[in-house]
Every structure is written in structure tokens, then in C-alpha cells.
Amino acid sequence: MYIIIVGLGGIGRNLTAISANQGNSVVVIDQDEAKCNDILEHYDVLAIAGDSTDSSVLDDAGIDRAQSLVATTSDDAVNLMTCWLAKRFKVPNVVSIVNQKEHSALFKEVGVKISENPDELVATRLYYWAESPNMQQLASIPGGTIFEVVAEDDAPIIDHEIRELEVKNFVFIAIRRAGGELIIPSGDVKIRPGDIITVFTKKEAEKECITILNRQLKGSED
């Protein structure tokens, strides 16, 4: 894949590392020449010090043959203008960070795939994991998250069937029971203390899912 990455902040740098390590042809654009020089010391990429809202800079980056462009700067105006230009150059896949939620509609109007405020998303996730010591994230996949949660001894759902569990935008994938027994859950399976439940939830519903599961699988703190 020929991919252009705009912005060499934390997200852009990590994305560059992942893309380069996967064997892709990577071009990075950042206005900070020092950041461009630094990335060249670590990865086999083309780095351009310049303004991504300038079409001549995008030309230098090979926008005409790019298969994807990802805008990762902290400035929504820069990201939006860059994506708009990428769309004019007919880049097939254009993706951007959106730092302020109220700008999301603008990106969607242009036809850009977005990831809203990454700092807020990470902070929210960290808070809920900190609040839920009986949960452990296993994987993050496109569109969702897979994690494990332990049914505590005096939780409300103990000795109740799965069908009685309040469920919204998540599914139980498997249950590991004491002794190593693995259960593929069905509605009539009863939850027992210590059950380790593997759950899949949609990314946008992660907060709600964790709240629901905490209410039903977490024991009393008395």
C-alpha cells in the first residue's frame, strides 16, 4: 500500500512505525523539519517538511498514486483541508482524526472516515478500566473491542441465565469456568462465580457496555 501520513505527533509517528513495519510505501508530511529528520533515522520512509494544505507538497508526496491518506494533526482545519485535497486527487481511502466533536459533520460531508478525539477516547477507556479491575482488554479490532470480565461472587447475575442479562451492543463469545472448562454461551447457560467471560462490543458502545456489565457482574463493595 502507498500511504501518506500527515502529522508526526504521537499518533502519526506510531502509525508511521506500524505502516513501515508492515512493508508499505510510506510518505510522511510535517511542517517541523526536525521531526521529519528524526523519523528518517528510524524508518525507511519518505519525509517531506511542508504544509499538507499546499497541493504542491501533496504532489511531491506522490498523492496521484496514494492509496490512502491519514491526517493526524491536532488542527482540524489542517486535517479537513488536507482531506478535501486528497479527495480532489481521488485518493481511494481518506482517514482523519477529528479533535473537536462539533467538526465531525464537516469531515463526513467530505466523505472522510474519522476517529474522534483520540485523547478523549483513550482517557475514557483508561478511566473505565481503572474503575473495573475485573476487566482486561484482549484486542482492539476495526469497529470493536474484545475483553474479558470476571463474574464476582455476589454479583446480581450469579446463578441467573444469560438470557436474563441486560444486553445492548455486545455479545458473549465464550466463558472459561474453574477447572479450565470452555463454554460457548447460549441463553440457558447460568453464570457462576469466577466465570471468565469473553465479550465483544462495538467501539462506540464500549462505555455503555462496561457500565452495564459492571452493574450486573460486579459484586457488592461492602
Side-chain angles (χ1 to χ4, degrees):
M1 175 174 66
Y2 192 105
I3 179 172
I4 297 175
I5 298 168
V6 178
L8 282 172
I11 293 173
R13 187 179 177 86
N14 280 290
L15 180 58
T16 299
I18 293 168
S19 300
N21 289 336
Q22 290 292 322
N24 297 293
S25 298
V26 182
V27 182
V28 295
I29 302 173
D30 195 283
Q31 295 194 54
D32 189 329
E33 188 172 356
K35 288 183 178 179
C36 290
N37 290 334
D38 180 68
I39 204 75
L40 288 173
E41 293 181 7
H42 295 87
Y43 304 103
D44 183 16
V45 300
L46 172 63
I48 298 174
D51 183 353
S52 63
T53 65
D54 183 337
S55 59
S56 66
V57 171
L58 293 177
D59 273 329
D60 290 341
I63 191 76
D64 58 325
R65 60 184 184 278
Q67 294 162 292
S68 293
L69 178 142
V70 184
T72 72
T73 82
S74 59
D75 188 328
D76 282 346
V78 170
N79 291 342
L80 182 61
M81 183 62 183
T82 301
C83 291
W84 180 78
L85 287 170
K87 283 290 186 178
R88 288 197 65 186
F89 278 104
K90 302 189 185 316
V91 176
N93 193 27
V94 181
V95 185
S96 182
I97 286 168
V98 179
N99 297 282
Q100 298 182 48
K101 289 181 180 178
E102 57 268 29
H103 297 159
S104 298
L106 295 172
F107 285 81
K108 290 176 181 177
E109 284 178 15
V110 177
V112 177
K113 296 177 184 176
I114 63 172
S115 175
E116 295 180 355
N117 198 328
D119 291 338
E120 182 179 335
L121 291 174
V122 171
T124 299
R125 177 176 293 175
L126 290 174
Y127 172 78
Y128 279 99
W129 293 137
E131 186 186 45
S132 311
N134 61 333
M135 291 188 182
Q136 178 179 349
Q137 181 172 334
L138 299 180
S140 181
I141 62 177
T145 303
I146 299 173
F147 59 90
E148 287 183 340
V149 56
V150 179
E152 297 184 354
D153 290 353
D154 55 349
I157 197 63
I158 294 299
D159 292 328
H160 289 267
E161 295 181 349
I162 289 176
R163 71 174 88 248
E164 299 176 56
L165 184 69
E166 180 188 346
V167 175
K168 188 173 182 180
N169 289 324
F170 66 87
V171 294
F172 284 4
I173 300 173
I175 298 173
R176 277 192 292 126
R177 191 152 280 173
E181 180 186 4
L182 183 66
I183 299 170
I184 303 302
S186 59
D188 58 356
V189 172
K190 289 187 177 181
I191 302 296
R192 296 179 183 171
D195 279 354
I196 301 173
I197 305 166
T198 304
V199 181
F200 170 79
T201 181
K202 295 180 180 178
K203 245 181 184 49
E204 65 270 19
E206 185 176 309
K207 176 180 175 181
E208 181 182 20
C209 169
I210 293 173
T211 299
I212 291 172
L213 289 175
N214 266 338
R215 186 165 63 242
Q216 297 176 88
L217 293 173
K218 195 173 182 180
S220 169
E221 297 182 356
D222 294 339

